[in-house]
Amino acid sequence: MILEAIITTTNDDGSVNISPMGPLVSTAPTDGFELRPFETSRTFANLQQRPFGVLHVTDDVMLFARTAIGKKMAELPDVRPAECQSDAYILSDACRWYEFEAVYFETSQPRKNIRCNTIAAGRQRDFWGFNRAKHAVLEAAILATRVDFIPVEEIQRQFEPLRVIVEKTGGQRERDAMRLIDVFLDEA
């Protein structure tokens, strides 16, 4: 199954890179997982330099929206050092986290496959869950990452029903996240 998650890796300058990603997970992230970044992604470059990172399970759809569109955050989320690697970081507000080591890179295809072994895991708070609006924001964020592959008109067509769901069932944070994605798509 594909689990919608947030990955942190470390940039060359030591700063934190935060990216949404849908790793393939067979049972649980503690059993390892597979990342499938594109070759042009910062996550892929970082993992080639330093094969460590942290996969986060979170219910913060604003974080998914911002990272999906590459929106520089005025203020990065709070992080703390990972348990096993000094140059990996855990998002302080994530529900669960899985520190990992990238142990195998399959690079023959445009979409790379990276096999990761979990080396530490933790739970920080309960997962609040997703209502229809949060699911819609996630889908909209995923659509926004496809602007280089799918015509913007098609993305806008798929985006419209998601907007309706957010307006009907979302709170302010979900509406703000959806507006952020909407602006991004208008400018694409």
Side-chain angles (χ1 to χ4, degrees):
M1 102 173 144
I2 295 175
L3 174 69
E4 299 306 330
I6 300 288
I7 304 289
T8 55
T9 56
T10 305
N11 296 317
D12 286 338
D13 65 1
S15 63
V16 180
N17 178 64
I18 305 171
S19 300
M21 195 163 296
L24 291 173
V25 178
S26 60
T27 54
T30 52
D31 297 329
F33 50 90
E34 185 177 310
L35 298 177
R36 300 175 311 136
F38 288 100
E39 183 174 25
T40 56
S41 75
R42 170 59 37 210
T43 298
F44 179 69
N46 286 349
L47 288 174
Q48 286 189 302
Q49 293 295 317
R50 290 176 198 84
F52 300 99
V54 182
L55 179 150
H56 301 85
V57 175
T58 184
D59 48 15
D60 182 353
V61 294
M62 181 59 86
L63 184 59
F64 276 103
R66 286 182 177 276
T67 57
I69 65 173
K71 178 81 173 166
K72 295 288 185 204
M73 291 177 253
E75 193 173 303
L76 285 175
D78 288 337
V79 296
R80 63 180 175 84
E83 303 282 320
C84 297
Q85 296 301 315
S86 60
D87 62 350
Y89 297 93
I90 297 169
L91 294 171
S92 298
D93 191 44
C95 301
R96 294 186 311 273
W97 56 267
Y98 302 89
E99 188 176 347
F100 65 86
E101 178 180 9
V103 294
Y104 177 76
F105 289 75
E106 169 52 56
T107 60
S108 63
Q109 300 297 316
R111 189 125 188 216
K112 308 308 178 191
N113 291 314
I114 304 172
R115 182 74 192 145
C116 300
N117 288 341
T118 301
I119 55 178
R123 180 184 168 282
Q124 300 181 134
R125 66 177 178 84
D126 288 339
F127 181 79
W128 177 250
F130 287 125
N131 67 354
R132 290 179 63 213
K134 286 182 184 261
H135 281 288
V137 171
L138 278 177
E139 289 301 321
I142 292 166
L143 279 172
T145 67
R146 306 300 194 251
V147 295
D148 293 333
F149 314 111
I150 299 173
V152 174
E153 298 78 28
E154 175 62 20
I155 291 173
Q156 289 283 12
R157 187 188 64 70
Q158 293 179 37
F159 185 82
E160 192 54 39
L162 300 172
R163 180 193 338 258
V164 172
I165 292 169
V166 171
E167 288 303 317
K168 283 183 177 179
T169 66
Q172 192 59 50
R173 188 137 175 102
E174 292 79 25
R175 287 186 190 96
D176 290 346
M178 199 64 156
R179 274 194 280 288
L180 187 70
I181 297 168
D182 198 14
V183 168
F184 171 78
L185 292 175
D186 283 344
E187 295 173 354

